[in-house]
Amino acid sequence: AAHNADITVHDGDQLASAFPAIHTVGRAAEIGPRLIDMRWGDSGPKITLIGKGITFDSGGLDLKPSKAMEMMKKDMGGAATVLGLAAALMTHRTKIRLRVLVAAAENAVSDRAMRPLDVIDTRAGIKVEVGNTDAEGRLVLADALDYAIEGKPDFMIDFATLTGAARVALGTELPALFANNQQTADAMLAASRRVADPLWQLPLFDDYDRHLDAGYAALSSTGPSGYGGAITAALFLRRFAGTDTNWAHIDVMAWNLAARPGRPKGGEAMGLRALFDYINRLAAE
């Protein structure tokens, strides 16, 4: 309302029909899942921001240990980041055609929860075998990415608290960046250095793509190996974003485990400052 943006919320039976993967992930929860679609601006490049909005992640039937579950209210950190980035861009009156997609669901446990090795539908028409019910973020993003590319954006990016593998590789303070376009990645990394909002690029290593085709009955959401988990997760997302789209993915902690100067303990919009700088420069070209 503050910025006169348009908003559409998909839920209920309409969500189940149009966004089956988001529905499947969130159907076990008392509060049903949503796909939130916001649009703002009428000139400039078409920029789409996509956020993983898992409001709480129990792990589903592949239940997390209690210690690992403690902070899982932060599993909506990707969605929070894109909402903050969108607010900054609108406040700055950046000359873009902005779209924000938030895939919101709770990964809960009930008799309606998805099961390991279930084969589920996605918006793209690709059948997916659930390798692990705790790898739910990539499922909700799959539907959101497929929806986003219908609008033919000039640039789209998703933020997600997606994998523990990225944290093992880079620690909690350095988000992992993946991108289809190296020129785009280079410009984003330059922006991150300018504003002291660090990102580190990891590869979309094509040879690992074969692991996703190793499911029993469909495209595997995880692949059979625990190695290279951040890369295989990004490659899974690429199956829905496409290889030709100017798309980037940031695998982010979205949380400071301890306080540092300018970075208090708790939720942290990692990557927001870098992308604000990058998108403003893109809009000025």
Side-chain angles (χ1 to χ4, degrees):
H3 299 286
N4 197 31
D6 296 322
I7 180 168
T8 303
V9 179
H10 303 271
D11 60 2
D13 291 341
Q14 191 270 337
L15 181 86
S17 173
F19 303 94
I22 298 175
H23 168 74
T24 299
V25 169
R27 70 189 181 194
E30 181 180 1
I31 298 173
R34 307 278 193 277
L35 189 283
I36 302 162
D37 184 353
M38 289 180 281
R39 301 170 193 247
W40 175 87
D42 54 13
S43 64
K46 296 171 72 173
I47 307 295
T48 299
L49 313 177
I50 302 164
K52 172 189 169 184
I54 300 298
T55 55
F56 188 82
D57 184 14
S58 69
L61 292 180
D62 286 312
L63 196 68
K64 290 179 182 289
S66 59
K67 204 65 185 166
M69 206 186 299
E70 271 183 4
M71 291 195 302
M72 283 300 103
K73 64 182 181 182
K74 82 169 185 68
D75 214 19
M76 36 58 74
T81 301
V82 300
L83 289 172
L85 177 56
L89 292 165
M90 289 187 289
T91 300
H92 191 257
R93 309 300 296 178
T94 305
K95 296 294 184 184
I96 55 175
R97 287 170 286 171
L98 177 65
R99 189 179 189 191
V100 180
L101 296 173
V102 172
E106 179 184 353
N107 189 19
V109 178
S110 80
D111 60 336
R112 302 187 69 234
M114 61 180 172
R115 297 164 180 81
L117 297 188
D118 270 359
V119 174
I120 70 170
D121 292 319
T122 65
R123 180 180 178 85
I126 301 170
K127 298 281 189 181
V128 171
E129 184 179 271
V130 179
N132 187 307
T133 65
D134 195 21
E136 81 298 324
R138 65 199 69 187
L139 302 178
V140 300
L141 288 174
D143 275 0
L145 287 165
D146 183 70
Y147 189 38
I149 61 174
E150 292 176 6
K152 295 180 171 56
D154 296 306
F155 171 65
M156 73 176 187
I157 183 166
D158 71 78
F159 283 80
T161 51
L162 205 65
T163 69
R167 311 287 76 79
V168 171
L170 300 177
T172 61
E173 297 169 15
L174 184 56
L177 166 67
F178 299 84
N180 270 345
N181 184 301
Q182 190 56 47
Q183 186 176 351
T184 297
D186 291 342
M188 291 170 62
L189 292 169
S192 79
R193 291 189 291 269
R194 277 192 299 270
V195 299
D197 189 16
L199 300 170
W200 193 268
Q201 188 178 5
L202 293 181
L204 288 164
F205 185 56
D206 289 330
D207 281 6
Y208 288 171
D209 206 47
R210 71 185 189 277
H211 297 313
L212 300 173
D213 294 315
Y216 293 97
L219 176 72
S220 173
S221 63
T222 59
S225 171
Y227 296 115
I231 296 173
T232 53
L235 290 169
F236 177 84
L237 296 181
R238 192 177 69 174
R239 292 288 185 105
F240 299 88
T243 57
D244 298 326
T245 308
N246 188 15
W247 161 72
H249 157 60
I250 295 182
D251 192 331
V252 64
M253 176 71 171
W255 190 270
N256 293 320
L257 295 174
R260 293 174 289 137
R263 304 287 192 274
K265 183 177 180 179
E268 177 64 46
M270 298 171 177
L272 187 156
R273 300 163 183 84
L275 266 295
F276 178 75
D277 182 273
Y278 169 73
I279 292 170
N280 272 295
R281 289 171 184 266
L282 191 66
E285 289 179 356

